[in-house]
Amino acid sequence: MKTYDLSEAKVYVGTYGKYNNGSLSGAWLELSDYADKEEFYEACRELHKDEEDAEYMFQDWENIPDELISESWLSENFFDLRDAVEDLSDTEQEAFFVWCNYEGCDLGKEDSYDLVNRFKDLYVGEYNDEEDFAYRIVEECYDLTDFAKTYFDYEKFVRDLFMCDYYFENGFVFKR
């Protein structure tokens, strides 16, 4: 699963006119420099002011999910999503994209703030494996003596936890 650091997103902006004339002339624009899509397109116009009625060509990009950009289009949702995830830690942002992929979220159409709020409700944390999570649950929720813990069947407990209540994906645990 690919993850993204939206605060580091950038796009190489050229034009179809220059490209068709054999030129890759353009520049990398860092999307963190722009509050919204309008400001970004204003920078594109300024960059290619030597061309009348320029058709912008996004020849390359980094840290942008493919459903939010194409060669000739940038989704309005990019800026909303970037702002919605900015308060998440790096680990939480990675978990967010793992969760979105697992859940089949449509980043281009769904409300970004709703997605982040749903993620926050369902995200449990980062763990080495399912058993690591089960050990934490036992420690926090059950008052077992050390002697009793030696007889506790963690394997079956893991099976029961992840059968209905939780799922484990790429090192992260989520509620179902």
Side-chain angles (χ1 to χ4, degrees), residues 99 102-103 118-119 121-124 130 133 158-169 173-176:
W99 174 80
Y102 184 88
E103 294 291 326
R118 281 188 7 233
F119 162 77
D121 289 342
L122 300 174
Y123 177 63
V124 177
E130 293 171 342
F133 175 69
V158 166
R159 185 200 66 218
D160 291 347
L161 281 174
F162 288 91
M163 188 180 300
C164 298
D165 299 329
Y166 300 95
Y167 66 92
F168 182 82
E169 189 70 23
V173 174
F174 304 94
K175 297 175 196 168
R176 290 194 188 275

Side-chain angles (χ1 to χ4, degrees), residues 16-46:
Y16 283 100
K18 289 176 182 157
Y19 181 80
N20 289 335
N21 289 320
S23 172
L24 295 176
S25 179
W28 282 100
L29 297 181
E30 295 188 22
L31 296 180
S32 61
D33 293 341
Y34 312 103
D36 55 28
K37 189 175 176 180
E38 309 316 318
E39 278 188 24
F40 170 69
Y41 275 102
E42 181 58 40
C44 292
R45 282 189 286 282
E46 183 63 29

